[in-house]
């Protein structure tokens, strides 16, 4: 009876290990903690976005975010030219509806279940089978559940 109980216990522990979702490992936990320590106003930056939609011309937009400025967002150029008043107005409305991009947003999804798919000197690659709800919103459509992601973490320096 004792060996049957031990075998059943071992089998249920093995089944629980297989059924349990992947948990954040120590490196993921470190990245999440670092991201949570920063807020949306931690950095000023310039971003370039290129959008290519079927049947439309490619659009390249450059904007700047500086938490010390008023306004904090500035549309710098559209397709290499100064923006029109209409483009500036549209940009102002669009950035007002979205969270500021930044490292702090990694905390939202980087602790989600993931698998290390590669590890080499100075690099670790994680694969996320899906992103948590609200992570990827494009034009008001939450695509998070339908989006897989891979993140390559540089571990060569003192801070990943």
């Amino acid at each position: 009876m004792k060996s049957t109980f031990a075998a059943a216990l071992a089998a249920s522990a093995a089944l629980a290990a297989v059924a349990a979702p992947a948990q954040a490992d120590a490196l993921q936990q470190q990245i999440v903690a670092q991201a949570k320590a920063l807020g949306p106003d931690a950095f000023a930056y310039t971003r370039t976005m290129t959008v290519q939609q079927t049947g439309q011309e490619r659009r390249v937009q450059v904007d700047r975010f500086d938490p010390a400025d008023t306004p904090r967002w500035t549309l710098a150029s559209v397709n290499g030219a100064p923006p029109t008043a209409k483009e500036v107005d549209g940009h102002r409305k669009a950035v007002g509806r979205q969270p500021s991009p930044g490292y702090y947003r990694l905390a939202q999804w980087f602790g989600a279940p993931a698998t290390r798919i590669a590890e080499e000197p100075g690099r670790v690659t994680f694969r996320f089978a899906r992103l948590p709800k609200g992570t990827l919103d494009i034009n008001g459509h939450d695509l998070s559940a339908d989006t897989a992601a891979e993140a390559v973490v540089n571990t060569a320096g003192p801070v990943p």
Side-chain angles (χ1 to χ4, degrees):
M1 177 117 173
K2 193 180 219 181
S3 63
T4 305
F5 177 72
L9 185 61
S12 67
L15 182 59
V18 170
Q23 298 299 314
D25 70 11
L27 179 58
Q28 282 179 275
Q29 291 172 359
Q30 180 182 3
I31 291 167
V32 169
Q34 290 168 343
K36 284 182 177 180
L38 299 172
D41 295 340
F43 299 101
Y45 55 87
T46 299
R47 70 179 177 179
T48 302
M49 295 184 296
T50 303
V51 177
Q52 177 75 53
Q53 293 180 324
T54 304
Q56 296 182 7
E57 289 189 35
R58 183 176 145 210
R59 177 182 168 103
V60 179
Q61 176 177 303
V62 177
D63 58 9
R64 293 185 180 94
F65 176 81
D66 190 337
D69 284 347
T70 303
R72 298 170 1 144
W73 283 99
T74 305
L75 181 59
S77 68
V78 176
N79 294 332
T84 65
K86 183 178 178 181
E87 289 168 332
V88 169
D89 187 52
H91 178 264
R92 183 179 41 77
K93 290 175 183 172
V95 296
R97 291 188 305 261
Q98 63 188 5
S100 298
Y103 187 77
Y104 77 101
R105 294 197 64 212
L106 287 179
Q108 180 181 0
W109 65 271
F110 205 81
T115 304
R116 282 188 186 218
I117 61 170
E119 195 163 347
E120 55 191 73
R123 293 171 51 132
V124 174
T125 304
F126 291 97
R127 176 157 176 73
F128 298 85
R130 66 186 317 159
L131 298 177
K133 184 178 181 178
T135 304
L136 182 62
D137 186 307
I138 297 178
N139 296 328
H141 301 287
D142 188 0
L143 302 175
S144 307
D146 298 323
T147 303
E150 291 182 3
V152 178
V153 180
N154 179 345
T155 57
V159 177

